[in-house]
Amino acid sequence: MKGKKLFLILVLCLMAASSIGLFLNTFGVFFTPIADDLNEKRGTVAIISTILIFSSAICSIILPRVATNGNYRKIYIAGIIGTVCSLVFMANAGSLLMLYIGALLLGVSFSVYHMVMITTIINSSFDENIGTINGVVFSFAGIAGALFAPLFSSVIEERGWRAGFYLMAILAAVMCRPGIFAEMKVEKAEENEKEEETSAFNYRTVPYVLSLIMSFSFMFLPSLPQHFPGLALCKGLRDNAGALLVSSAMIGNIVFKLLAGVLADKLGTMKTIFVMAALTVIGSMLLFTGGKALLLIGAFLYGSIYSVCSVLIALYSKEVYGLENYKKAYPVIVFAGNVANALGISAVGYIYDFTRSYDLAVILVILLAALGVALSVISRNLQSKKTRA
């Protein structure tokens, strides 16, 4: 049994590396080459990621309701096939509209093994050290981002962005394949009985609405690293410096997800959210500087925001709304965050297009980080009072 659990953790790590690390954390290196090739604005090209995230967010609300222990393997295999076909389609796209369609199909496909399903499998398969397991699993998204961002940058520079999409398809297929042989549970045996005993979840309460706004605030922030290649060029640095900034953020992603998982188990979720948000703000301030070393440190610290978005919001949802309501509360919380992330990627691109600087975007993420911390505390306290009443 222990061997099966370890293999499941490995599979979940590869799922996170593919769905988050490969697609979301490296897509930024494609923006400028595609914009230059198709003679489009960066903000317009960044809509590719907006569509990708938005389509996966919608599917992530539906999947936990339809996936069962009996049918999830078939859904998973269909998702892998869809992912590869979508990327091949994008590699052969002749216009921005075709890339948008490919992104829509890709978002639908990889939602099958994206954040909501990963956390659902973790909560259904493990009873202890959930924070640490979340941290380890989602740290692989950072590992993939750190490894693949420079790789794609190099391939795009030598072979073009179309070759980059072909490589992405191959890597996705390789990383997702082991999951076909894993025993992945998306529901506990006693879960259906508990659902019958539990009253219907109310999505219209003040604490829950504040939780949605909190998620929106925090998950806007990972949109900025997608534009680190453009930020590096704006600072007068060479093209490869942008890939290094992305890699630095992904290394921070790895370190702080591991740290956040352990801290959440030891200190609690709320204190850990505060610590990681503070590190994000410090990293944001360093992005105002022009020196390469300080920018790399800033990008590294900024990587702490990924721990909030993937590890801590999931733990927050389970802690505040309970395991019995997790599959109802968490997908919509993530949906609100994914909408923010989808809009943020394009918004940051347009901020640059109209101001020729990323400074306004950096100020915006600092304000949103502060708002997210405040709302997480307020919503938790209000929900706690409501539960005790």
Side-chain angles (χ1 to χ4, degrees), residues 38-358:
L38 300 181
N39 196 27
E40 298 281 356
K41 291 182 180 294
R42 292 182 196 175
T44 306
V45 173
I47 292 175
I48 293 171
S49 284
T50 301
I51 294 170
L52 176 73
I53 296 168
F54 194 73
S55 58
S56 69
I58 293 174
C59 291
S60 292
I61 293 178
I62 301 168
L63 275 168
R65 298 173 183 272
V66 300
T68 65
N69 291 340
N71 68 13
Y72 181 66
R73 190 185 304 275
K74 294 178 182 177
I75 295 173
Y76 180 77
I77 293 171
I80 298 172
I81 295 170
T83 295
V84 173
C85 292
S86 300
L87 288 167
V88 171
F89 179 83
M90 293 177 75
N92 289 279
S95 67
L96 200 54
L97 176 61
M98 300 299 285
L99 286 170
Y100 288 165
I101 294 171
L104 175 67
L105 297 173
L106 179 59
V108 171
S109 299
F110 85 78
S111 64
V112 169
Y113 50 93
H114 192 30
M115 194 184 304
V116 170
M117 294 312 300
I118 291 172
T119 56
T120 298
I121 292 168
I122 291 173
N123 286 321
S124 299
S125 304
F126 301 93
D127 297 313
E128 298 178 345
N129 300 317
I130 301 296
T132 302
I133 293 171
N134 270 281
V136 170
V137 167
F138 286 110
S139 69
F140 272 71
I143 292 172
L147 291 175
F148 296 143
L151 175 62
F152 285 127
S153 182
S154 176
V155 169
I156 291 170
E157 188 176 344
E158 292 185 12
R159 304 277 184 175
W161 57 269
R162 297 179 190 278
F165 281 133
Y166 278 121
L167 177 60
M168 189 175 279
I170 294 169
L171 292 171
V174 171
M175 287 192 288
C176 291
R177 187 175 181 274
I180 297 172
F181 307 103
E183 184 180 331
M184 292 189 280
K185 297 179 181 178
V186 295
E187 55 187 356
K188 285 183 179 291
E190 68 275 11
E191 201 168 273
N192 290 332
E193 294 177 16
K194 284 188 177 180
E195 278 192 16
E196 291 175 5
E197 296 171 4
T198 305
S199 58
F201 183 73
N202 187 355
Y203 293 95
R204 298 180 181 179
T205 63
V206 172
Y208 191 71
V209 171
L210 293 179
S211 295
L212 297 180
I213 301 172
M214 173 209 72
S215 178
F216 187 96
S217 300
F218 277 135
M219 291 185 70
F220 184 98
L221 274 61
S223 61
L224 184 61
Q226 296 277 3
H227 293 273
F228 278 175
L231 185 144
L233 291 173
C234 194
K235 299 286 184 180
L237 302 176
R238 294 177 59 186
D239 289 355
N240 64 343
L244 289 176
L245 288 181
V246 174
S247 292
S248 183
M250 292 306 105
I251 293 170
N253 181 336
I254 300 162
V255 172
F256 293 116
K257 279 179 181 174
L258 292 171
L259 182 60
V262 175
L263 286 179
D265 285 336
K266 301 291 183 183
L267 302 179
T269 302
M270 300 307 298
K271 290 180 180 178
T272 309
I273 287 175
F274 179 80
V275 170
M276 294 301 155
L279 290 172
T280 301
V281 170
I282 295 171
S284 301
M285 292 177 176
L286 290 175
L287 295 178
F288 286 115
T289 64
K292 186 176 179 180
L294 287 176
L295 286 171
L296 287 170
I297 294 171
F300 172 77
L301 293 175
Y302 196 91
S304 59
I305 191 58
Y306 293 98
S307 67
V308 178
C309 297
S310 57
V311 177
L312 297 174
I313 289 180
L315 296 176
Y316 161 91
S317 301
K318 183 181 176 184
E319 179 181 306
V320 174
Y321 298 104
L323 182 59
E324 66 275 10
N325 288 316
Y326 180 83
K327 287 176 71 173
K328 298 174 184 176
Y330 181 63
V332 182
I333 288 174
V334 171
F335 175 78
N338 281 333
V339 169
N341 192 230
L343 295 175
I345 292 172
S346 295
V348 172
Y350 282 120
I351 286 172
Y352 172 80
D353 288 335
F354 289 109
T355 67
R356 310 311 295 177
S357 171
Y358 289 97

